[in-house]
């Protein structure tokens, strides 16, 4: 059965949270968000808040039949009457660079340090220029290497290229090659947990619209 790409709905939020928890098993995410029931509930609430309250957020899913197997959260440039967002902020805050209120079971100090530095680096690299921001891309582990990530990446890059805008993403060293394949290049990095984890801050300039049948990943 062919994979399909479509906008997620509010009813999909629990499935997206499940995918996030299963996909991100690297040391920094496990340290920030131990896998507890309260943190799982917080992700549902956090994603729902972004889905309902952030006009720049686009949740895009990939389905295999009736099963959602991956999703991306793209932040698109704000319209003329919309407040710019750093996207990791609470939609209830007037400060687009504010971080959310972390759940009780989270490592709040590490979350503030790590995500705060990511917000700072994005601001340093992109400034005030409008751009597309791939905040989250998560695939169920058993469905990797099927071209799923490429479908979700292309969704945003086709729009960025059509608008003549840059795109930004943060990536682990392990996942960076797929983003490099699509034209992103490292502009900065965030090193945390005393060095064992590095997050790359990657910028991509607009390119001519690509062949939609290009190589998958």
């Amino acid at each position: 059965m062919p994979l399909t790409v479509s906008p997620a709905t509010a009813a999909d939020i629990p499935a997206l949270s499940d995918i996030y928890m299963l996909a991100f098993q690297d040391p920094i995410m496990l340290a920030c968000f131990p896998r507890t029931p309260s943190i799982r509930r917080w992700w549902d609430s956090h994603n729902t808040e972004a889905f309902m309250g952030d006009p720049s957020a686009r949740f895009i899913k990939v389905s295999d039949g009736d099963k959602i197997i991956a999703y991306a959260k793209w932040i698109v440039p704000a319209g003329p009457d919309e407040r710019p967002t750093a996207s990791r902020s609470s939609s209830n805050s007037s400060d687009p660079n504010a971080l959310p209120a972390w759940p009780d079971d989270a490592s709040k100090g590490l979350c503030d340090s790590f995500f705060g530095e990511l917000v700072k680096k994005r601001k340093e690299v992109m400034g005030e220029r409008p751009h597309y921001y791939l905040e989250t891309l998560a695939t169920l582990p058993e469905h990797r290497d099927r071209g799923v990530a490429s479908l979700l990446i292309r969704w945003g890059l086709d729009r960025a290229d059509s608008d003549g805008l840059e795109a930004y993403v943060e990536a682990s060293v392990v996942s960076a090659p797929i983003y490099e394949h699509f034209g992103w290049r490292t502009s900065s990095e965030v090193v945390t947990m005393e060095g064992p984890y590095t997050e790359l801050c990657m910028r991509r300039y607009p390119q001519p619209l690509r062949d939609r049948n290009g190589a998958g990943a």
Side-chain angles (χ1 to χ4, degrees):
M1 185 172 293
L3 302 178
T4 59
V5 181
S6 61
T9 68
D12 295 326
I13 293 297
L16 305 189
S17 298
D18 285 341
I19 293 170
Y20 185 97
M21 301 287 278
L22 291 168
F24 290 103
Q25 298 288 326
D26 46 78
I28 185 67
M29 288 296 101
L30 292 175
C32 284
F33 303 113
R35 292 340 193 209
T36 67
S38 68
I39 283 180
R40 173 62 179 73
R41 290 191 296 271
W42 181 84
W43 273 109
D44 278 350
S45 175
H46 183 68
N47 284 332
T48 299
E49 181 180 330
F51 187 90
M52 302 297 292
D54 184 351
S56 297
R58 302 289 185 272
F59 287 83
I60 308 301
K61 65 183 178 181
V62 174
S63 301
D64 185 356
D66 294 330
K67 182 180 178 63
I68 303 173
I69 62 172
Y71 82 97
K73 181 184 177 184
W74 278 96
I75 305 302
V76 304
D81 298 324
E82 297 170 354
R83 175 175 60 86
T85 176
S87 177
R88 298 189 185 278
S89 65
S90 167
S91 63
N92 295 323
S93 171
S94 60
D95 179 2
N97 294 314
L99 294 171
W102 307 114
D104 289 339
D105 290 348
S107 177
K108 296 181 181 181
L110 181 58
C111 286
D112 281 342
S113 174
F114 179 62
F115 291 108
E117 191 66 16
L118 291 182
V119 170
K120 176 182 174 182
K121 290 291 186 181
R122 180 183 167 206
K123 178 75 170 179
E124 289 177 358
V125 173
M126 303 308 299
E128 299 295 334
R129 301 188 304 280
H131 60 279
Y132 282 71
Y133 173 31
L134 178 53
E135 182 185 300
T136 304
L137 195 161
T139 303
L140 287 173
E142 65 269 26
H143 290 280
R144 290 171 182 163
D145 301 318
R146 297 183 62 192
V148 177
S150 293
L151 294 173
L152 292 167
I153 289 170
R154 286 193 182 106
W155 184 94
L157 293 188
D158 283 348
R159 287 159 175 78
D161 289 340
S162 179
D163 292 343
L165 295 177
E166 296 167 273
Y168 185 82
V169 69
E170 297 132 353
S172 68
V173 173
V174 172
S175 63
I178 186 173
Y179 299 113
E180 292 171 347
H181 172 77
F182 283 96
W184 269 286
R185 296 294 180 263
T186 299
S187 294
S188 188
E189 64 182 33
V190 172
V191 180
T192 192
M193 296 175 66
E194 299 182 353
Y197 186 82
T198 299
E199 187 88 340
L200 303 178
C201 305
M202 308 181 77
R203 175 173 59 185
R204 176 187 181 275
Y205 293 103
Q207 300 176 6
L209 291 176
R210 296 165 313 284
D211 179 356
R212 292 176 184 268
N213 295 318

